[in-house]
Amino acid sequence: EIKVNVTGIYFKVVNDLDFTNKTFVKLGTPRNTFKGTLDGNNKTISGIFLDGGSFSGLIGYNGTNGEIKDLTLSNITIDKAFKYSGILIGYNEGSKMSNILIKDSQITNSNYAGGAVGNNTGTVTDIVIENVALSNGDYLGGLVGNNGGTIKENIVDVEVTGSSYIGGLVGYQSYGTTHTCWVTSKVTGISNVGGIIGIETFARTGN
C-alpha cells in the first residue's frame, strides 16, 4: 500500500509486470485513497490474486480527480471480497479511466462487483473487456457493479452469474448515465436481471 499522499502525482508503468505467485498489495484504501494518475504506457499487468476483504482491485479505492489510462490487465483473480471489487478499481469516487483492456480474469463470491469497477461515480470510457467471468454475488455488472457516474463507448463480452441486480454491463444504476456501449455478455440471475442493466433508477441510458 502506498502510505504517502499521492494527490496529483503521476505514475508510469515502464515494463510489463507479472505478479504470478507473488504478493500484490492493492493501491488505495478508504483511509488512504489513490488520487494520482496511473499511465499504463500500453503495458500489461498480470497474475494478480486477491483473496478476501472489501475494496479489491488493482486500485482498491480511487479518489477524486485521478486518472487511469492506456493499460492492459490480464489473468487477474479476485475471490471473497465482501463488497466493492473490480479488476481495475474496487471503488471509484469521481476519477476517470480510459483505453483499458481487461481479459482472461474472474471475480467470485463478491458483491458490488464489476469487470472493471465495483462502484463508480466517475467516468468510464473506451474500455474493452473479454473472457472475464463474475459469479456468486449481488449487484454484479460486466463493466460496473453499481453505477452513479458516466459510462460511454465501452465494449463488454463477459459471463455474469449471480442472484439479484445482475447486468451484462451494469448491475444497478442510480443517477448514472450510460450510452454508446456494445454488450454481448451472457447473464444469469434470479431477480432484477438484464442483458445490459439489471435495474436502474433516476438514470439515463441510450444507444
Side-chain angles (χ1 to χ4, degrees):
E1 178 185 344
I2 297 175
K3 296 292 187 179
V4 297
N5 187 333
V6 296
T7 301
I9 296 179
Y10 174 87
F11 297 87
K12 184 175 184 178
V13 181
V14 296
N15 295 299
D16 292 336
L17 300 174
D18 185 356
F19 288 91
T20 302
N21 298 321
K22 298 176 182 177
T23 299
F24 175 81
V25 179
K26 63 192 176 186
L27 306 174
T29 67
R31 291 185 178 181
N32 187 32
T33 63
F34 183 88
K35 296 181 181 180
T37 294
L38 178 61
D39 181 354
N41 190 33
N42 297 310
K43 303 300 182 182
T44 297
I45 297 176
S46 62
I48 293 173
F49 177 73
L50 295 170
D51 185 16
S54 298
F55 305 98
S56 290
L58 175 71
I59 298 174
Y61 198 111
N62 197 40
T64 58
N65 302 318
E67 182 178 11
I68 300 94
K69 62 181 181 179
D70 305 334
L71 179 66
T72 293
L73 297 176
S74 177
N75 191 28
I76 312 295
T77 297
I78 299 174
D79 186 32
K80 295 189 290 292
F82 175 65
K83 62 181 180 179
Y84 305 131
S85 60
I87 302 299
L88 180 61
I89 300 171
Y91 194 104
N92 181 46
E93 187 184 6
S95 291
K96 59 184 179 180
M97 62 211 74
S98 62
N99 193 29
I100 310 288
L101 170 62
I102 299 171
K103 62 180 183 176
D104 307 330
S105 300
Q106 63 178 334
I107 299 177
T108 55
N109 304 306
S110 303
N111 300 310
Y112 294 94
V117 184
N119 187 88
N120 175 60
T121 57
T123 301
V124 182
T125 184
D126 193 21
I127 292 182
V128 176
I129 305 180
E130 58 187 25
N131 193 30
V132 170
L134 296 92
S135 61
N136 194 22
D138 298 320
Y139 298 90
L140 305 181
L143 181 71
V144 175
N146 184 49
N147 182 53
T150 300
I151 293 173
K152 60 181 180 179
E153 299 176 359
N154 303 284
I155 300 173
V156 182
D157 183 9
V158 304
E159 184 170 348
V160 188
T161 304
S163 298
S164 300
Y165 306 103
I166 312 299
L169 183 70
V170 177
Y172 181 84
Q173 178 163 269
S174 179
Y175 295 99
T177 300
T178 303
H179 58 89
T180 321
C181 292
W182 293 263
V183 183
T184 54
S185 300
K186 179 181 178 181
V187 181
T188 304
I190 297 173
S191 64
N192 297 308
V193 179
I196 297 177
I197 297 175
I199 193 170
E200 62 179 340
T201 58
F202 307 104
R204 186 177 65 183
T205 302
N207 296 329

